[in-house]
C-alpha cells in the first residue's frame, strides 16, 4: 500500500560543525568515542543507565528496591527510595569533600534597576531553612499545594526550595499571567497559600503582582494566607488576617530545618501549560526521577563545572527555569545567574553587559530572543568582549539555521559549541540534544535523543517513517523526568499523550530524522501556537475574545513570524447589531491581554461576516492559517460548508 506522507518536510541543511578537540578533551563527556560508548550502553539497557546516573549524581537517604515500575501510561521511578530535592541542591554542598562550596556563589542576581545580590550556598541554605519554618508556622503540611507568583528574584528560588524541603508542592505561575489565569490555576490546584511580592520591575515599570493576586482571590476564600515579599515598596494594601509580610515572618524564623525524607514518587510541583482543548493542564512532576534527569542532563549537556558561571535567561515560571535555572544547576553545585528584567532595559545591550560583567561562561536562551538580537543589530554585541563564553544553548522552538549561525558567529565568536535542546513542560528535562564535544551539530537540528531516551518519527498509523520523511515525534520508552499525570485528571492524561499512538508518548510535534540519525523538529501540529517560545492555546485566545460583549465567534491561528516564531492572528465575527468601528481591533487586543496576560496579546484582529466551517460545524483552521500567512489555500476544501465564505475572507485582504 502506498503510504501517505504525514507532514511535508522541505528544509535541507548541509553544514555540520564537528566537536572541537580542545573542548572535548576537558568535557564531562570527553569526546565522540566516550559519547558513543555512553549512548550505546544506555540504549542496550536504559534502566541500568539511569540507575547508574542516579547513584552517582543524586544523594538518597534510602536506596530503591526497583528502578522502574511501568504500567502504561503510569510510571514510578526508583521505587521505594527516599530523597529530598533541597538536600541535593544545598546540604550536600556543605558537607564532606564538597564543604568548600559553603562560600561559593549559588545565585548571582541582578535586578532590573541595577541592584545586585550574591547568595552563597551557605546563605541559600540558611534562607531556605528559615522560609521552610515560616511555611510550617503557617500550617503548611506535606503534600499541600502552594502557589508562587513572583518576580525573578532569589526569593522565588528560596520559596521553591523551602517547599521541597518540607514536601509541599509548589505551583509557580509566571508573572505575566492575568488575575483570571491565577484564579483558575489556584482553584485547580486547590492551593491554600500564595507567595507573591508587592511588585516586580519590567522595562522600568512596576508589574502589580499583589494587585493581581488580590483580584484573583476575590471569590476564592480557600486561600488562607498570602505572604508578600517587599520588592518595589510602592505601598500595597494588605488584608487583615490573610496577608503577611515576608520580612516580618523571616525575622524570627529558626535556621534549623531538617529536610523531609520523601518518597521518590512524592509530588514535587505542578506547572500549568496549554493543551489542545483550551483548559490549562496541571502537569505533575515527582521527586526522584525528575531530580535525576534534571541533574544529569544539566551536567552533560551544559558541561557544568565548578568554575562556571551559568546563565539561563528563562523566567523561573516556565519549566526551563524550574529545571535549568534552579534544580538541575544547584544540584550540581554550580553558580546560576538570575536577571530580573527585560533585555532592552535601559538599552539593547543589557545581556552583553551582564555577560562581560559576571564573566558568564554558559548562556542558555531562546531562538525568539536570538532573532530579536539579530534585528537590533550586530553592533550591540560587537562592542563587548564576550570572551568568557564557552558554551551556548537554545530552547523553546525550532531555531532556523540563519539564527543558529548568527548565534555561533556573533555571540560565540565561532568558538563555542551550540546545544539546541528539545523538550517540553511534560518531559521535565531535556530529551533531544547534542552533547557538546561528543556530537557534530548541523545548524537547526537538536540532533540525538539524550542517552537513555528513545524517540522515533511515525506516520498516522504509528509506523516509523523512512529517513528524511516528516512525521509525528514520539517517545517510545518511559523516562525518569516524565510527567506523572495531569493534576486531578488521569483520563485526560491518557487521552492527550498516550492514545493517538498506542503504547508510546505523543509529544504533539512534527519532525523528521536524517540519514545520520539527527532529529529536525518542525514544531507543533495541534492547535497550540508556539509564540516567542511559549505554548499558547488557540482555544484560550478564542474564549477570551468571545467573552467580549461585541464578539459572536472567533477563530485564532498562528502566522509565521520572523521574530516571535508565531504571530497570533484572530478572525472575528461580531454580534448581529455590532459594527467593526475604528479602534475595536485595539480594544479586542487589550481585552485578550487582560484576560490571559500580555503573552496572549494578538498581533492582528480581522473582522469577517462568517468563518469557514466543515459540514459538521468545525472551523477550518488550516484554511485560516493559509489566509493569515497570505498563502494560496492548499489541499482539500471539499468539506467546506460554504465556499463564498472563503472568497469573502480573501477579498478582505486587498
Ligand atoms: C514545545 C514545548 C521546554 C522548553 C520550553 C518550552 C517546542 C521546545 C524546542 C527545540 C524545536 C522546540 C516544541 C515543544 N520546542 N524546544 N529545541 N526545537 N522545538 O516548553 O511550553 O512545554 O513547549 O516547545 O514544540 O513541544 P513548553
Amino acid at each position: 500500500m502506498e503510504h501517505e506522507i504525514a507532514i511535508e518536510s522541505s528544509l535541507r541543511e548541509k553544514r555540520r560543525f564537528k566537536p572541537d578537540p580542545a573542548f572535548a578533551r576537558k568535557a564531562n563527556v570527553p569526546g565522540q568515542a566516550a559519547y558513543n560508548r555512553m549512548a550505546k550502553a544506555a540504549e542496550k539497557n536504559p534502566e541500568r543507565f539511569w540507575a547508574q546516573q542516579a547513584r552517582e549524581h543524586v544523594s538518597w537517604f534510602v536506596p530503591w528496591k526497583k528502578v522502574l515500575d511501568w504500567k502504561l501510561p503510569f510510571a514510578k521511578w526508583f521505587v521505594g527510595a527516599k530523597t529530598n530535592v533541597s538536600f541535593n541542591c544545598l546540604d550536600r554542598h556543605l558537607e564532606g569533600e564538597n564543604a568548600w562550596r559553603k562560600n561559593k556563589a549559588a545565585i548571582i542576581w541582578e535586578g532590573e534597576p541595577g541592584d545586585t545580590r550574591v547568595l552563597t550556598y551557605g546563605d541559600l541554605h540558611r534562607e531556605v531553612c528559615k522560609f521552610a519554618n515560616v511555611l510550617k508556622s503557617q500550617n503548611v503540611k506535606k503534600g499541600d499545594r502552594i502557589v508562587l507568583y513572583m518576580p525573578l528574584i532569589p526569593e522565588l528560588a528560596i520559596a521553591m526550595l523551602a517547599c521541597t524541603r518540607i514536601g509541599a508542592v509548589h505551583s509557580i505561575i509566571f508573572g505575566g499571567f492575568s488575575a483570571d489565569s491565577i484564579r483558575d490555576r489556584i482553584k485547580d490546584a486547590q492551593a491554600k497559600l500564595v507567595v507573591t511580592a508587592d511588585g516586580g520591575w519590567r522595562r522600568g515599570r512596576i508589574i502589580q503582582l499583589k494587585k493581581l493576586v488580590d483580584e484573583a482571590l476575590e471569590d476564592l476564600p480557600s486561600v488562607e494566607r498570602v505572604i508578600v515579599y517587599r520588592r518595589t515598596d510602592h505601598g500595597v494594601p494588605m488584608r487583615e488576617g490573610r496577608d503577611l509580610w515576608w520580612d516580618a515572618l523571616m525575622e524570627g524564623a529558626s535556621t534549623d530545618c531538617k529536610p523531609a525524607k520523601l518518597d521518590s514518587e512524592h509530588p514535587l510541583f505542578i506547572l500549568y501549560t496549554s493543551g489542545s482543548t483550551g483548559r490549562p493542564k496541571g502537569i505533575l512532576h515527582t521527586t526522584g526521577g525528575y531530580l535525576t534527569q534534571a541533574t544529569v542532563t544539566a551536567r552533560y549537556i551544559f558541561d557544568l563545572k565548578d568554575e562556571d558561571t551559568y546563565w539561563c535567561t528563562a523566567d523561573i515560571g516556565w519549566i526551563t527555569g524550574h529545571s535549568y535555572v534552579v534544580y538541575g544547576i544547584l544540584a550540581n553545585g554550580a553558580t546560576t545567574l538570575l536577571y530580573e528584567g527585560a533585555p532592552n532595559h535601559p538599552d539593547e545591550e543589557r545581556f552583553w553587559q551582564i555577560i562581560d560583567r559576571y564573566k558568564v561562561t554558559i548562556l542558555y536562551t531562546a531562538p525568539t530572543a536570538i532573532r530579536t538580537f539579530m534585528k537590533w543589530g550586530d553592533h550591540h554585541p560587537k562592542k563587548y568582549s564576550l570572551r568568557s563564553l564557552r558554551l551556548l544553548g537554545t530552547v523553546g522552538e525550532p531555531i532556523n539555521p540563519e539564527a543558529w549561525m548568527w548565534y555561533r558567529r556573533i555571540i560565540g565568536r565561532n568558538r563555542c559549541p551550540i546545544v539546541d535542546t528539545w523538550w517540553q513542560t511534560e518531559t521535565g528535562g531535556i530529551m533531544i540534544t547534542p552533547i557538546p564535544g561528543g556530537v557534530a551539530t548541523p545548524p537547526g537540528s537538536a540532533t540525538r535523543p539524550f542517552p537513555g531516551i528513545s524517540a522515533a518519527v511515525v506516520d498516522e498509523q504509528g509506523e516509523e517513517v523512512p529517513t528524511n520523511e516528516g512525521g509525528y515525534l514520539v517517545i517510545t520508552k518511559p523516562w525518569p523526568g516524565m510527567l506523572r499525570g495531569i493534576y486531578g485528571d488521569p483520563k485526560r492524561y491518557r487521552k492527550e499523550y498516550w492514545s493517538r499512538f498506542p503504547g508510546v508518548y505523543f509529544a504533539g510535534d512534527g519532525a523528521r530524522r536524517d540519514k545520520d540519525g539527527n532529529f529536525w523538529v518542525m514544531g507543533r501540529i495541534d492547535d497550540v501556537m508556539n509564540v516567542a517560545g511559549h505554548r499558547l492555546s488557540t482555544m484560550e485566545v478564542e474564549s477570551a475574545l468571545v467573552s467580549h460583549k461585541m464578539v459572536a465567534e472567533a477563530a485564532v491561528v498562528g502566522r509565521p513570524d520572523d521574530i516571535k516564531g508565531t504571530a497570533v492572528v484572530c478572525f472575528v465575527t461580531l454580534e448581529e447589531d455590532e459594527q467593526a468601528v475604528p479602534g475595536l481591533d485595539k480594544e479586542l487586543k487589550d481585552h485578550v491581554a487582560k484576560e490571559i496576560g500580555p503573552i496572549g496579546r494578538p498581533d492582528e484582529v480581522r473582522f469577517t461576516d462568517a468563518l469557514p466551517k466543515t459540514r459538521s460545524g468545525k472551523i477550518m483552521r488550516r484554511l485560516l492559517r493559509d489566509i493569515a500567512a497570505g498563502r494560496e489555500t492548499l489541499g482539500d476544501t471539499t468539506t467546506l460548508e460554504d465556499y463564498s465564505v472563503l472568497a469573502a475572507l480573501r477579498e478582505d485582504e486587498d
Side-chain angles (χ1 to χ4, degrees):
M1 197 180 75
E2 184 82 346
H3 114 136
E4 190 187 332
I5 294 184
I7 300 171
E8 292 287 344
S9 151
S10 45
L11 188 76
R12 291 290 180 275
E13 168 61 54
K14 295 263 154 51
R15 287 168 290 200
R16 295 284 182 279
F17 292 88
K18 288 216 182 90
D20 169 7
F23 183 101
R25 223 173 298 127
K26 290 190 244 157
N28 288 342
V29 180
Q32 280 172 296
Y35 167 78
N36 289 338
R37 270 196 306 277
M38 184 176 175
K40 210 179 243 154
E43 195 181 338
K44 221 167 131 194
N45 193 339
E47 286 177 44
R48 215 179 104 169
F49 168 81
W50 286 116
Q52 256 167 10
Q53 298 298 328
R55 251 191 306 270
E56 207 171 317
H57 301 297
V58 175
S59 304
W60 306 83
F61 302 126
V62 176
W64 52 87
K65 294 195 184 71
K66 199 175 164 197
V67 179
L68 170 67
D69 176 51
W70 178 227
K71 294 197 181 66
L72 193 132
F74 299 100
K76 288 186 184 142
W77 280 87
F78 310 115
V79 185
K82 291 204 188 308
T83 186
N84 182 287
V85 171
S86 86
F87 179 88
N88 275 275
C89 291
L90 301 169
D91 306 57
R92 66 170 175 161
H93 306 310
L94 306 176
E95 55 191 39
E97 60 178 28
N98 292 326
W100 65 271
R101 288 196 185 122
K102 179 165 73 110
N103 295 319
K104 171 183 174 170
I107 294 177
I108 298 176
W109 174 82
E110 185 167 300
E112 196 187 69
D115 42 345
T116 65
R117 283 163 68 193
V118 176
L119 278 89
T120 64
Y121 272 95
D123 295 334
L124 190 57
H125 180 264
R126 185 188 62 238
E127 297 302 302
V128 167
C129 287
K130 285 173 76 177
F131 197 66
N133 283 326
V134 165
L135 290 175
K136 282 194 208 166
S137 76
Q138 298 308 312
N139 197 27
V140 173
K141 301 263 174 341
K142 184 171 145 182
D144 285 347
R145 274 82 53 214
I146 306 297
V147 158
L148 310 178
Y149 183 66
M150 298 180 82
L152 194 49
I153 54 176
E155 280 65 26
L156 176 50
I158 292 167
M160 293 164 82
L161 288 159
C163 287
T164 73
R165 198 158 189 90
I166 61 173
V169 182
H170 62 68
S171 183
I172 306 182
I173 303 176
F174 170 62
F177 279 114
S178 67
D180 284 345
S181 307
I182 303 169
R183 184 184 303 119
D184 290 347
R185 286 158 171 77
I186 292 178
K187 253 196 215 155
D188 190 85
Q190 301 152 292
K192 72 177 203 194
L193 187 144
V194 175
V195 185
T196 188
D198 46 359
W201 291 106
R202 190 83 187 169
R203 289 204 180 83
R205 288 175 33 200
I206 291 176
I207 321 177
Q208 301 283 347
L209 297 170
K210 172 65 163 60
K211 189 166 161 253
L212 287 173
V213 168
D214 286 341
E215 263 178 56
L217 295 187
E218 256 163 36
D219 33 47
L220 259 193
S222 71
V223 174
E224 297 158 17
R225 281 280 174 278
V226 178
I227 299 179
V228 187
Y229 181 78
R230 210 186 295 270
R231 166 71 185 129
T232 42
D233 211 8
H234 65 290
V236 294
M238 297 287 278
R239 197 162 120 185
E240 274 277 341
R242 189 195 67 185
D243 302 350
L244 298 166
W245 287 107
W246 172 294
D247 44 356
L249 289 167
M250 286 290 265
E251 217 170 304
S254 154
T255 56
D256 280 329
C257 178
K258 279 218 171 72
K261 295 183 171 147
L262 300 172
D263 190 274
S264 179
E265 284 301 331
H266 185 73
L268 178 62
F269 65 82
I270 299 167
L271 183 57
Y272 285 86
T273 189
S274 296
S276 53
T277 65
R279 201 159 43 90
K281 303 183 276 199
I283 303 301
L284 176 70
H285 284 288
T286 60
T287 302
Y290 169 85
L291 178 64
T292 300
Q293 191 170 341
T295 307
V296 168
T297 49
R299 180 176 198 89
Y300 296 132
I301 299 163
F302 301 127
D303 191 40
L304 272 187
K305 309 267 172 56
D306 261 315
E307 307 80 84
D308 278 312
T309 301
Y310 163 96
W311 183 23
C312 167
T313 66
D315 193 282
I316 292 178
W318 308 109
I319 189 70
T320 309
H322 285 60
S323 303
Y324 301 111
V325 173
V326 180
Y327 294 130
I329 309 307
L330 297 178
N332 279 291
T335 299
T336 189
L337 189 140
L338 267 60
Y339 166 57
E340 177 189 31
N344 55 351
H345 189 86
D347 58 40
E348 287 79 11
E349 295 176 6
R350 188 69 183 260
F351 272 31
W352 322 125
Q353 236 170 43
I354 290 176
I355 290 172
D356 274 7
R357 178 174 308 144
Y358 300 100
K359 305 235 174 344
V360 170
T361 56
I362 303 167
L363 176 68
Y364 190 34
T365 194
T368 182
I370 296 168
R371 290 191 296 265
T372 305
F373 299 140
M374 287 171 76
K375 194 181 94 182
W376 288 343
D378 301 5
H379 58 288
H380 294 304
K382 278 185 172 162
K383 276 197 232 157
Y384 293 82
S385 145
L386 308 186
R387 250 191 23 229
S388 55
L389 288 173
R390 66 179 193 92
L391 176 69
L392 304 174
T394 76
V395 60
E397 57 183 310
I399 181 163
N400 45 313
E402 193 197 347
W404 196 99
M405 289 303 296
W406 184 89
Y407 197 29
R408 182 183 153 82
R409 226 165 13 92
I410 305 297
I411 307 306
R413 310 278 155 96
N414 292 317
R415 225 188 30 238
C416 305
I418 297 180
V419 290
D420 169 1
T421 61
W422 178 89
W423 59 297
Q424 307 177 296
T425 304
E426 291 86 345
T427 69
I430 295 172
M431 301 291 279
I432 303 182
T433 177
I435 301 288
V439 175
T441 48
S445 166
T447 72
R448 323 279 174 79
F450 185 80
I453 302 294
S454 310
V457 181
V458 301
D459 64 14
E460 295 284 356
Q461 280 71 47
E463 303 289 333
E464 272 202 62
V465 300
T467 299
N468 275 327
E469 198 173 290
Y472 304 97
L473 179 59
V474 296
I475 308 296
T476 56
K477 289 198 176 110
W479 65 100
M482 67 187 271
L483 75 166
R484 299 303 196 263
I486 295 174
Y487 187 69
D489 202 344
K491 268 207 205 105
R492 190 173 176 201
Y493 168 62
R494 192 187 287 275
K495 183 161 171 286
E496 291 231 4
Y497 301 107
W498 301 92
S499 66
R500 176 106 182 233
F501 305 105
V504 301
Y505 170 88
F506 174 45
D509 282 354
R512 83 178 153 88
R513 189 154 33 168
D514 68 19
K515 64 174 187 352
D516 303 321
N518 291 317
F519 284 76
W520 298 75
V521 178
M522 298 187 290
R524 310 286 308 166
I525 57 102
D526 51 17
D527 285 331
V528 176
M529 301 171 286
N530 192 320
V531 179
H534 297 297
R535 279 198 272 171
L536 206 62
S537 152
T538 54
M539 259 69 143
E540 276 181 275
V541 181
E542 283 164 8
S543 70
L545 282 166
V546 296
S547 75
H548 188 281
K549 60 182 189 318
M550 290 171 73
V551 174
E553 262 192 315
V556 172
V557 296
R559 155 164 58 74
D561 181 88
D562 285 348
I563 305 283
K564 294 168 76 180
T566 307
V568 178
V569 180
C570 310
F571 293 87
V572 167
T573 64
L574 297 177
E575 295 285 356
E576 201 85 342
D577 44 355
E578 299 291 355
Q579 296 248 327
V581 289
L584 182 58
D585 57 338
K586 165 139 197 317
E587 187 178 321
L588 293 182
K589 287 179 191 174
D590 291 345
H591 178 73
V592 173
K594 184 171 178 296
E595 293 287 309
I596 300 180
I599 44 162
R601 187 186 184 82
D603 295 275
E604 194 182 334
V605 174
R606 294 193 185 192
F607 297 100
T608 170
D609 291 335
L611 294 169
K613 290 186 187 156
T614 63
R615 279 184 207 113
S616 65
K618 263 183 109 171
I619 293 173
M620 299 190 76
R621 274 164 217 289
R622 181 168 48 81
L623 297 183
L624 293 175
R625 271 195 286 269
D626 287 342
I627 292 168
R631 276 192 301 258
E632 272 302 302
T633 307
L634 301 165
D636 186 19
T637 53
T638 49
T639 49
L640 190 60
E641 176 207 38
D642 179 1
Y643 281 100
S644 61
V645 171
L646 192 59
L649 277 167
R650 286 212 169 282
E651 270 164 28
D652 284 349
E653 281 172 63
D654 313 315

